[in-house]
Amino acid sequence: MTKIELTRIPFIKNAFKSRYPQLAVFIVMLIGYIFAILAGLIGTPVGSHNFSIVFVWIAWWAILILVAVPFFGRGWCAICPIPLPGEWLQRGAILTPPDKRPKWLNLRVPKMFRNIWLQNISFLLLALFSSVLLTTPNITGIILAAMLFTAIGLGAIFERRAFCRYLCPVGGFIGLYSQAAPIELRIKDKQVCVTCEGKPCYNGSSIGFGCPWDVFPGGLTKNTYCGLCMECIRTCPHDNIAVNLRPFSADLAKPSTRMDEAFKAFIMLGSAIIYAGVLLGPWGTFKDAAYNVGSSAWFMYAGIFLSIIFGILPGFFTLGLLGTKGNATLKHRFASLSITLIPLGLMFWVAFSLSFVLTNASYILASLSDPLGLGWNLFGTANTAWQPMLTSILAPAQALALVGGLIWSARTAQKAANEVKVSPIPVIVYCFIATSIMLWLLL
């Protein structure tokens, strides 16, 4: 399959170039986000009847991991409301650049933080406390509010979207998995960018803002750090930016050599396996430990969690690579071949998410009618009884996702191994063992 330029279609191109459709979605999302904060703080403490829990951790998560990330990559980032208030304050405008911009500090993020290690840490913090976060509305409300105000604070200190690019716990894994998505934003002609004066797509101009993600579109080779905000399409004076439909995992043909991205792949793979074991497995002791935050059992759970992610999983992966021979260093092989875990981890999360989303989806209808749990019945669905959905297809769907992920990863391993000129067999065996464990945990 060759690339298909979607922006050749006038309707799509006009929708991307105009700021109004995106602004309308932004406003709806921001209202929903603020309502989720308020619902968490003032609504019922019963998680299954609170809008913040039901819509954030069931509805939003289902859309994100089952649809948005696999098919649209960073599409969620294009409509995410979290950076909006900070960005509007930073720019001193909502739509087009003002004549005079506000005098914020506008500092450049220090070089030592220009990676995704902070995103790795922030995700792990949420992951370790997820048992409380996913069930306690006021904690969810506090975290959502903290993310909003952190984004505003960073916008007042640093240039562009520092929160999204370097700190957001969700943005890190969306960026990683967006490499597998069949959507990309790329330039049409590199030579046009070379000769373009002022580079308004990056620096901004009187008709548009510079890239808020600190990316020069002329140098884009993968989706990881492009937030699909479409600002460069509006700003480019040469109509040289395109949104393309492409084959899945096109970015994975060129492995990364960054260790922060490599460990992000292990963090996501390990978290999916641990969640499947703790939240869906039969071991009540593990589940109790995860829920009793602050107890000695929880500290043991946290220690095991981090040991699996930073010790066991990368350790066995490295042992497998020791048997391969090539000109690349072990560190280079480790980082390059870890890209194999991207499709595997994505499908692990799809399989895991199917379990609790289909189990808890019926709460969405009840929460719509009574979002604060105050006894309302706005749409007549408040008394919808809880019942799991599509239980007959759950196990086959999970098995299909996991086996499909294994095949996808094996193909990715072959390409990555060719790049570093080593055998893909150890990595494929590693993926097979990880998939077998996940199948055992889920089925």
Side-chain angles (χ1 to χ4, degrees), residues 328-364:
T329 64
L330 180 61
K331 180 180 178 182
H332 186 103
R333 281 179 279 157
F334 178 90
S336 296
L337 290 168
S338 67
I339 203 168
T340 302
L341 306 181
I342 292 176
L344 192 73
L346 176 60
M347 299 315 288
F348 275 23
W349 277 100
V350 167
F352 166 72
S353 300
L354 282 172
S355 290
F356 78 87
V357 168
L358 293 181
T359 301
N360 298 301
S362 58
Y363 288 127
I364 297 173

mmCIF file of all heavy atoms in Angstrom, residues 328-364:
data_model
loop_
_atom_site.group_PDB
_atom_site.id
_atom_site.type_symbol
_atom_site.label_atom_id
_atom_site.label_comp_id
_atom_site.label_asym_id
_atom_site.label_seq_id
_atom_site.Cartn_x
_atom_site.Cartn_y
_atom_site.Cartn_z
ATOM 1 N N ALA A 328 27.089 -3.510 15.660
ATOM 2 C CA ALA A 328 26.515 -2.536 16.592
ATOM 3 C C ALA A 328 26.812 -2.937 18.034
ATOM 4 O O ALA A 328 26.914 -4.118 18.361
ATOM 5 C CB ALA A 328 25.008 -2.446 16.372
ATOM 6 N N THR A 329 26.932 -1.928 18.894
ATOM 7 C CA THR A 329 27.157 -2.197 20.312
ATOM 8 C C THR A 329 25.909 -2.814 20.933
ATOM 9 O O THR A 329 24.806 -2.731 20.368
ATOM 10 C CB THR A 329 27.492 -0.898 21.058
ATOM 11 O OG1 THR A 329 26.340 -0.028 20.989
ATOM 12 C CG2 THR A 329 28.710 -0.212 20.450
ATOM 13 N N LEU A 330 26.083 -3.413 22.103
ATOM 14 C CA LEU A 330 24.940 -4.021 22.785
ATOM 15 C C LEU A 330 23.879 -2.966 23.090
ATOM 16 O O LEU A 330 22.680 -3.219 22.951
ATOM 17 C CB LEU A 330 25.420 -4.688 24.080
ATOM 18 C CG LEU A 330 24.324 -5.366 24.918
ATOM 19 C CD1 LEU A 330 23.645 -6.481 24.129
ATOM 20 C CD2 LEU A 330 24.908 -5.906 26.228
ATOM 21 N N LYS A 331 24.306 -1.768 23.501
ATOM 22 C CA LYS A 331 23.360 -0.694 23.800
ATOM 23 C C LYS A 331 22.563 -0.315 22.551
ATOM 24 O O LYS A 331 21.347 -0.112 22.608
ATOM 25 C CB LYS A 331 24.124 0.525 24.338
ATOM 26 C CG LYS A 331 23.239 1.703 24.686
ATOM 27 C CD LYS A 331 24.063 2.877 25.209
ATOM 28 C CE LYS A 331 23.177 4.080 25.509
ATOM 29 N NZ LYS A 331 23.982 5.241 25.985
ATOM 30 N N HIS A 332 23.256 -0.233 21.425
ATOM 31 C CA HIS A 332 22.590 0.106 20.159
ATOM 32 C C HIS A 332 21.588 -0.988 19.784
ATOM 33 O O HIS A 332 20.462 -0.698 19.367
ATOM 34 C CB HIS A 332 23.645 0.268 19.066
ATOM 35 C CG HIS A 332 23.091 0.763 17.770
ATOM 36 N ND1 HIS A 332 23.223 2.066 17.353
ATOM 37 C CD2 HIS A 332 22.383 0.141 16.791
ATOM 38 C CE1 HIS A 332 22.634 2.215 16.172
ATOM 39 N NE2 HIS A 332 22.123 1.047 15.808
ATOM 40 N N ARG A 333 21.988 -2.248 19.923
ATOM 41 C CA ARG A 333 21.086 -3.354 19.591
ATOM 42 C C ARG A 333 19.880 -3.363 20.528
ATOM 43 O O ARG A 333 18.755 -3.612 20.106
ATOM 44 C CB ARG A 333 21.842 -4.694 19.709
ATOM 45 C CG ARG A 333 22.733 -5.002 18.500
ATOM 46 C CD ARG A 333 23.455 -6.311 18.702
ATOM 47 N NE ARG A 333 24.639 -6.139 19.539
ATOM 48 C CZ ARG A 333 25.222 -7.102 20.244
ATOM 49 N NH1 ARG A 333 24.711 -8.317 20.240
ATOM 50 N NH2 ARG A 333 26.299 -6.870 20.950
ATOM 51 N N PHE A 334 20.132 -3.083 21.809
ATOM 52 C CA PHE A 334 19.041 -3.058 22.794
ATOM 53 C C PHE A 334 18.008 -1.999 22.412
ATOM 54 O O PHE A 334 16.794 -2.273 22.370
ATOM 55 C CB PHE A 334 19.631 -2.762 24.180
ATOM 56 C CG PHE A 334 18.619 -2.661 25.277
ATOM 57 C CD1 PHE A 334 18.248 -3.786 25.996
ATOM 58 C CD2 PHE A 334 18.029 -1.442 25.601
ATOM 59 C CE1 PHE A 334 17.306 -3.692 27.022
ATOM 60 C CE2 PHE A 334 17.091 -1.343 26.611
ATOM 61 C CZ PHE A 334 16.725 -2.469 27.328
ATOM 62 N N ALA A 335 18.482 -0.785 22.141
ATOM 63 C CA ALA A 335 17.557 0.304 21.819
ATOM 64 C C ALA A 335 16.848 0.050 20.486
ATOM 65 O O ALA A 335 15.633 0.264 20.371
ATOM 66 C CB ALA A 335 18.319 1.626 21.783
ATOM 67 N N SER A 336 17.597 -0.410 19.492
ATOM 68 C CA SER A 336 17.010 -0.605 18.162
ATOM 69 C C SER A 336 15.965 -1.721 18.172
ATOM 70 O O SER A 336 14.867 -1.581 17.621
ATOM 71 C CB SER A 336 18.102 -0.930 17.148
ATOM 72 O OG SER A 336 18.989 0.154 17.011
ATOM 73 N N LEU A 337 16.298 -2.846 18.799
ATOM 74 C CA LEU A 337 15.389 -3.992 18.755
ATOM 75 C C LEU A 337 14.222 -3.866 19.735
ATOM 76 O O LEU A 337 13.237 -4.595 19.624
ATOM 77 C CB LEU A 337 16.171 -5.276 19.020
ATOM 78 C CG LEU A 337 17.111 -5.663 17.870
ATOM 79 C CD1 LEU A 337 18.076 -6.767 18.276
ATOM 80 C CD2 LEU A 337 16.313 -6.116 16.650
ATOM 81 N N SER A 338 14.327 -2.943 20.690
ATOM 82 C CA SER A 338 13.195 -2.741 21.594
ATOM 83 C C SER A 338 11.984 -2.198 20.854
ATOM 84 O O SER A 338 10.861 -2.263 21.372
ATOM 85 C CB SER A 338 13.586 -1.780 22.724
ATOM 86 O OG SER A 338 13.821 -0.480 22.205
ATOM 87 N N ILE A 339 12.189 -1.701 19.658
ATOM 88 C CA ILE A 339 11.061 -1.209 18.858
ATOM 89 C C ILE A 339 10.080 -2.347 18.545
ATOM 90 O O ILE A 339 8.901 -2.118 18.282
ATOM 91 C CB ILE A 339 11.573 -0.543 17.554
ATOM 92 C CG1 ILE A 339 10.541 0.440 17.026
ATOM 93 C CG2 ILE A 339 11.931 -1.583 16.496
ATOM 94 C CD1 ILE A 339 11.078 1.346 15.926
ATOM 95 N N THR A 340 10.613 -3.575 18.620
ATOM 96 C CA THR A 340 9.764 -4.751 18.407
ATOM 97 C C THR A 340 8.621 -4.809 19.431
ATOM 98 O O THR A 340 7.546 -5.354 19.162
ATOM 99 C CB THR A 340 10.634 -6.022 18.542
ATOM 100 O OG1 THR A 340 11.681 -5.959 17.592
ATOM 101 C CG2 THR A 340 9.824 -7.272 18.321
ATOM 102 N N LEU A 341 8.873 -4.242 20.611
ATOM 103 C CA LEU A 341 7.883 -4.321 21.684
ATOM 104 C C LEU A 341 6.745 -3.330 21.511
ATOM 105 O O LEU A 341 5.773 -3.372 22.268
ATOM 106 C CB LEU A 341 8.571 -4.066 23.034
ATOM 107 C CG LEU A 341 9.783 -4.955 23.344
ATOM 108 C CD1 LEU A 341 10.341 -4.627 24.703
ATOM 109 C CD2 LEU A 341 9.408 -6.430 23.240
ATOM 110 N N ILE A 342 6.855 -2.426 20.547
ATOM 111 C CA ILE A 342 5.791 -1.431 20.355
ATOM 112 C C ILE A 342 4.487 -2.077 19.885
ATOM 113 O O ILE A 342 3.448 -1.913 20.538
ATOM 114 C CB ILE A 342 6.271 -0.310 19.413
ATOM 115 C CG1 ILE A 342 7.363 0.519 20.112
ATOM 116 C CG2 ILE A 342 5.115 0.575 18.980
ATOM 117 C CD1 ILE A 342 7.975 1.594 19.252
ATOM 118 N N PRO A 343 4.485 -2.834 18.774
ATOM 119 C CA PRO A 343 3.213 -3.485 18.401
ATOM 120 C C PRO A 343 2.777 -4.529 19.421
ATOM 121 O O PRO A 343 1.579 -4.696 19.666
ATOM 122 C CB PRO A 343 3.518 -4.119 17.034
ATOM 123 C CG PRO A 343 5.001 -4.192 16.945
ATOM 124 C CD PRO A 343 5.527 -3.063 17.767
ATOM 125 N N LEU A 344 3.747 -5.220 20.045
ATOM 126 C CA LEU A 344 3.388 -6.223 21.053
ATOM 127 C C LEU A 344 2.714 -5.566 22.253
ATOM 128 O O LEU A 344 1.651 -6.009 22.708
ATOM 129 C CB LEU A 344 4.652 -6.963 21.506
ATOM 130 C CG LEU A 344 4.421 -8.224 22.344
ATOM 131 C CD1 LEU A 344 3.890 -9.342 21.462
ATOM 132 C CD2 LEU A 344 5.709 -8.668 23.038
ATOM 133 N N GLY A 345 3.318 -4.472 22.765
ATOM 134 C CA GLY A 345 2.745 -3.783 23.917
ATOM 135 C C GLY A 345 1.391 -3.174 23.596
ATOM 136 O O GLY A 345 0.470 -3.218 24.421
ATOM 137 N N LEU A 346 1.261 -2.618 22.406
ATOM 138 C CA LEU A 346 -0.019 -2.017 22.021
ATOM 139 C C LEU A 346 -1.132 -3.064 22.034
ATOM 140 O O LEU A 346 -2.222 -2.824 22.579
ATOM 141 C CB LEU A 346 0.102 -1.383 20.628
ATOM 142 C CG LEU A 346 -1.189 -0.793 20.041
ATOM 143 C CD1 LEU A 346 -1.753 0.300 20.931
ATOM 144 C CD2 LEU A 346 -0.937 -0.249 18.629
ATOM 145 N N MET A 347 -0.852 -4.230 21.474
ATOM 146 C CA MET A 347 -1.884 -5.269 21.433
ATOM 147 C C MET A 347 -2.106 -5.889 22.811
ATOM 148 O O MET A 347 -3.205 -6.360 23.114
ATOM 149 C CB MET A 347 -1.514 -6.342 20.406
ATOM 150 C CG MET A 347 -1.388 -5.796 18.973
ATOM 151 S SD MET A 347 -2.733 -4.679 18.482
ATOM 152 C CE MET A 347 -4.086 -5.822 18.297
ATOM 153 N N PHE A 348 -1.082 -5.892 23.677
ATOM 154 C CA PHE A 348 -1.293 -6.312 25.070
ATOM 155 C C PHE A 348 -2.310 -5.399 25.740
ATOM 156 O O PHE A 348 -3.202 -5.850 26.450
ATOM 157 C CB PHE A 348 0.024 -6.250 25.848
ATOM 158 C CG PHE A 348 0.885 -7.482 25.723
ATOM 159 C CD1 PHE A 348 0.759 -8.331 24.647
ATOM 160 C CD2 PHE A 348 1.829 -7.790 26.691
ATOM 161 C CE1 PHE A 348 1.559 -9.458 24.512
ATOM 162 C CE2 PHE A 348 2.631 -8.915 26.588
ATOM 163 C CZ PHE A 348 2.500 -9.748 25.497
ATOM 164 N N TRP A 349 -2.141 -4.080 25.522
ATOM 165 C CA TRP A 349 -3.061 -3.124 26.132
ATOM 166 C C TRP A 349 -4.463 -3.243 25.545
ATOM 167 O O TRP A 349 -5.456 -3.080 26.248
ATOM 168 C CB TRP A 349 -2.526 -1.699 25.965
ATOM 169 C CG TRP A 349 -1.533 -1.362 27.025
ATOM 170 C CD1 TRP A 349 -0.171 -1.366 26.917
ATOM 171 C CD2 TRP A 349 -1.810 -1.002 28.384
ATOM 172 N NE1 TRP A 349 0.412 -1.036 28.108
ATOM 173 C CE2 TRP A 349 -0.563 -0.793 29.029
ATOM 174 C CE3 TRP A 349 -2.972 -0.827 29.114
ATOM 175 C CZ2 TRP A 349 -0.472 -0.431 30.381
ATOM 176 C CZ3 TRP A 349 -2.887 -0.470 30.462
ATOM 177 C CH2 TRP A 349 -1.645 -0.275 31.063
ATOM 178 N N VAL A 350 -4.543 -3.526 24.243
ATOM 179 C CA VAL A 350 -5.862 -3.720 23.622
ATOM 180 C C VAL A 350 -6.558 -4.922 24.270
ATOM 181 O O VAL A 350 -7.731 -4.851 24.663
ATOM 182 C CB VAL A 350 -5.710 -3.936 22.101
ATOM 183 C CG1 VAL A 350 -7.023 -4.451 21.495
ATOM 184 C CG2 VAL A 350 -5.305 -2.633 21.418
ATOM 185 N N ALA A 351 -5.811 -6.032 24.396
ATOM 186 C CA ALA A 351 -6.408 -7.247 24.981
ATOM 187 C C ALA A 351 -6.800 -7.022 26.436
ATOM 188 O O ALA A 351 -7.891 -7.425 26.869
ATOM 189 C CB ALA A 351 -5.412 -8.403 24.862
ATOM 190 N N PHE A 352 -5.930 -6.375 27.200
ATOM 191 C CA PHE A 352 -6.236 -6.112 28.616
ATOM 192 C C PHE A 352 -7.437 -5.177 28.752
ATOM 193 O O PHE A 352 -8.342 -5.411 29.565
ATOM 194 C CB PHE A 352 -5.014 -5.496 29.299
ATOM 195 C CG PHE A 352 -5.316 -4.888 30.637
ATOM 196 C CD1 PHE A 352 -5.593 -5.684 31.738
ATOM 197 C CD2 PHE A 352 -5.345 -3.505 30.795
ATOM 198 C CE1 PHE A 352 -5.891 -5.124 32.974
ATOM 199 C CE2 PHE A 352 -5.646 -2.942 32.026
ATOM 200 C CZ PHE A 352 -5.918 -3.744 33.114
ATOM 201 N N SER A 353 -7.460 -4.126 27.936
ATOM 202 C CA SER A 353 -8.527 -3.127 28.047
ATOM 203 C C SER A 353 -9.888 -3.702 27.680
ATOM 204 O O SER A 353 -10.912 -3.284 28.236
ATOM 205 C CB SER A 353 -8.210 -1.910 27.163
ATOM 206 O OG SER A 353 -6.995 -1.317 27.563
ATOM 207 N N LEU A 354 -9.910 -4.663 26.741
ATOM 208 C CA LEU A 354 -11.190 -5.277 26.370
ATOM 209 C C LEU A 354 -11.878 -5.881 27.590
ATOM 210 O O LEU A 354 -13.103 -5.824 27.715
ATOM 211 C CB LEU A 354 -10.958 -6.363 25.303
ATOM 212 C CG LEU A 354 -10.725 -5.868 23.871
ATOM 213 C CD1 LEU A 354 -10.304 -7.031 22.970
ATOM 214 C CD2 LEU A 354 -11.986 -5.210 23.313
ATOM 215 N N SER A 355 -11.087 -6.435 28.505
ATOM 216 C CA SER A 355 -11.660 -7.103 29.680
ATOM 217 C C SER A 355 -12.465 -6.139 30.535
ATOM 218 O O SER A 355 -13.658 -6.345 30.774
ATOM 219 C CB SER A 355 -10.552 -7.718 30.543
ATOM 220 O OG SER A 355 -9.976 -8.804 29.896
ATOM 221 N N PHE A 356 -11.801 -5.062 30.992
ATOM 222 C CA PHE A 356 -12.531 -4.224 31.932
ATOM 223 C C PHE A 356 -13.475 -3.254 31.247
ATOM 224 O O PHE A 356 -14.470 -2.821 31.837
ATOM 225 C CB PHE A 356 -11.562 -3.482 32.874
ATOM 226 C CG PHE A 356 -10.874 -2.299 32.306
ATOM 227 C CD1 PHE A 356 -11.475 -1.044 32.346
ATOM 228 C CD2 PHE A 356 -9.630 -2.413 31.747
ATOM 229 C CE1 PHE A 356 -10.844 0.060 31.838
ATOM 230 C CE2 PHE A 356 -8.987 -1.303 31.236
ATOM 231 C CZ PHE A 356 -9.588 -0.075 31.272
ATOM 232 N N VAL A 357 -13.198 -2.904 29.969
ATOM 233 C CA VAL A 357 -14.121 -2.011 29.262
ATOM 234 C C VAL A 357 -15.444 -2.712 28.999
ATOM 235 O O VAL A 357 -16.526 -2.171 29.277
ATOM 236 C CB VAL A 357 -13.493 -1.521 27.941
ATOM 237 C CG1 VAL A 357 -14.549 -0.835 27.073
ATOM 238 C CG2 VAL A 357 -12.349 -0.564 28.227
ATOM 239 N N LEU A 358 -15.398 -3.953 28.489
ATOM 240 C CA LEU A 358 -16.639 -4.674 28.217
ATOM 241 C C LEU A 358 -17.342 -5.076 29.518
ATOM 242 O O LEU A 358 -18.564 -5.172 29.570
ATOM 243 C CB LEU A 358 -16.343 -5.923 27.370
ATOM 244 C CG LEU A 358 -15.848 -5.642 25.952
ATOM 245 C CD1 LEU A 358 -15.607 -6.934 25.196
ATOM 246 C CD2 LEU A 358 -16.845 -4.776 25.184
ATOM 247 N N THR A 359 -16.562 -5.265 30.569
ATOM 248 C CA THR A 359 -17.159 -5.619 31.857
ATOM 249 C C THR A 359 -17.886 -4.433 32.480
ATOM 250 O O THR A 359 -18.941 -4.593 33.107
ATOM 251 C CB THR A 359 -16.063 -6.115 32.823
ATOM 252 O OG1 THR A 359 -15.416 -7.246 32.241
ATOM 253 C CG2 THR A 359 -16.656 -6.493 34.172
ATOM 254 N N ASN A 360 -17.340 -3.241 32.292
ATOM 255 C CA ASN A 360 -17.866 -2.065 33.004
ATOM 256 C C ASN A 360 -18.578 -1.046 32.122
ATOM 257 O O ASN A 360 -18.995 0.007 32.623
ATOM 258 C CB ASN A 360 -16.709 -1.358 33.729
ATOM 259 C CG ASN A 360 -16.060 -2.251 34.765
ATOM 260 O OD1 ASN A 360 -16.712 -2.718 35.692
ATOM 261 N ND2 ASN A 360 -14.769 -2.502 34.618
ATOM 262 N N ALA A 361 -18.719 -1.332 30.829
ATOM 263 C CA ALA A 361 -19.284 -0.337 29.907
ATOM 264 C C ALA A 361 -20.711 0.061 30.268
ATOM 265 O O ALA A 361 -21.149 1.181 29.978
ATOM 266 C CB ALA A 361 -19.232 -0.857 28.475
ATOM 267 N N SER A 362 -21.456 -0.842 30.915
ATOM 268 C CA SER A 362 -22.854 -0.517 31.231
ATOM 269 C C SER A 362 -22.961 0.619 32.246
ATOM 270 O O SER A 362 -24.009 1.257 32.363
ATOM 271 C CB SER A 362 -23.587 -1.763 31.760
ATOM 272 O OG SER A 362 -22.943 -2.280 32.896
ATOM 273 N N TYR A 363 -21.870 0.885 32.978
ATOM 274 C CA TYR A 363 -21.887 2.008 33.914
ATOM 275 C C TYR A 363 -21.999 3.354 33.179
ATOM 276 O O TYR A 363 -22.427 4.354 33.760
ATOM 277 C CB TYR A 363 -20.617 2.028 34.762
ATOM 278 C CG TYR A 363 -20.563 0.936 35.803
ATOM 279 C CD1 TYR A 363 -19.461 0.083 35.885
ATOM 280 C CD2 TYR A 363 -21.594 0.768 36.730
ATOM 281 C CE1 TYR A 363 -19.398 -0.915 36.847
ATOM 282 C CE2 TYR A 363 -21.540 -0.227 37.693
ATOM 283 C CZ TYR A 363 -20.436 -1.066 37.747
ATOM 284 O OH TYR A 363 -20.383 -2.038 38.706
ATOM 285 N N ILE A 364 -21.588 3.386 31.918
ATOM 286 C CA ILE A 364 -21.591 4.639 31.161
ATOM 287 C C ILE A 364 -23.022 5.187 31.031
ATOM 288 O O ILE A 364 -23.261 6.377 31.232
ATOM 289 C CB ILE A 364 -20.955 4.436 29.768
ATOM 290 C CG1 ILE A 364 -19.487 4.041 29.925
ATOM 291 C CG2 ILE A 364 -21.089 5.696 28.923
ATOM 292 C CD1 ILE A 364 -18.803 3.660 28.634
#
